[in-house]
Amino acid sequence: MIEQEALAHAVSPAHGDADGARLAVLRLLEQRPNMSQRELSEALGLSLGKAHYVLHALLDKGLVKARNFRRSGNKLAYAYVLTPTGMREKLRLTRAFLSRKEIEFEQLRHTIAALKNELAERSN
């Protein structure tokens, strides 16, 4: 469970980040294909409606397949399996996400260095 939480926090999408939301859903479903939409929304901090929307967009694009199975008694549930195209899209999104975060990291490092220099100059 701790690994799931770490994974969810590592890829939690920012508000309005559609690619980030798709990547987060793909990563979680790869780890736990039997995750319900409610569990998915809670793990990613998305509304249930947003999780539903993102999941169905992935299904419509053929990146994920839904398979029915019986969880218990009369309840129907689904297992969400990434297709080969879904795996390639996850890889593409991961590369783009990593590239964006590396650029943000470098910008943040420069900002921190500039602020430290400013503080040092004003302390003297």
Side-chain angles (χ1 to χ4, degrees):
M1 188 66 166
I2 293 173
E3 290 175 12
Q4 292 297 322
E5 290 174 15
L7 176 63
H9 291 340
V11 295
S12 290
H15 181 68
D17 182 7
D19 280 348
R22 284 191 291 273
L23 175 58
V25 170
L26 288 169
R27 289 187 68 189
L28 278 175
L29 291 179
E30 183 179 33
Q31 297 295 315
R32 286 189 50 207
N34 61 337
M35 216 174 195
S36 71
Q37 287 185 32
R38 186 168 308 282
E39 292 169 331
L40 195 59
S41 72
E42 289 171 3
L44 296 175
L46 298 173
S47 70
L48 186 56
K50 176 73 174 184
H52 176 83
Y53 176 82
V54 172
L55 181 58
H56 280 270
L58 295 172
L59 287 163
D60 291 345
K61 289 181 179 183
L63 303 178
V64 174
K65 285 185 182 180
R67 295 196 176 134
N68 287 335
F69 70 94
R70 296 231 179 240
R71 187 175 283 176
S72 66
N74 294 327
K75 292 183 183 178
L76 272 181
Y78 295 94
Y80 299 102
V81 180
L82 274 64
T83 64
T85 303
M87 294 296 288
R88 285 190 298 276
E89 179 66 2
K90 179 182 153 277
L91 182 60
R92 184 192 72 75
L93 289 169
T94 300
R95 285 184 179 130
F97 178 84
L98 183 58
S99 179
R100 279 194 322 271
K101 293 303 174 184
E102 287 175 335
I103 290 167
E104 289 173 16
F105 175 74
E106 283 304 315
Q107 290 172 341
L108 186 56
R109 272 183 3 122
H110 289 291
T111 301
I112 289 170
L115 290 171
K116 284 182 177 180
N117 286 339
E118 184 180 321
L119 286 174
E121 288 174 4
R122 292 190 181 192
S123 296
N124 295 332

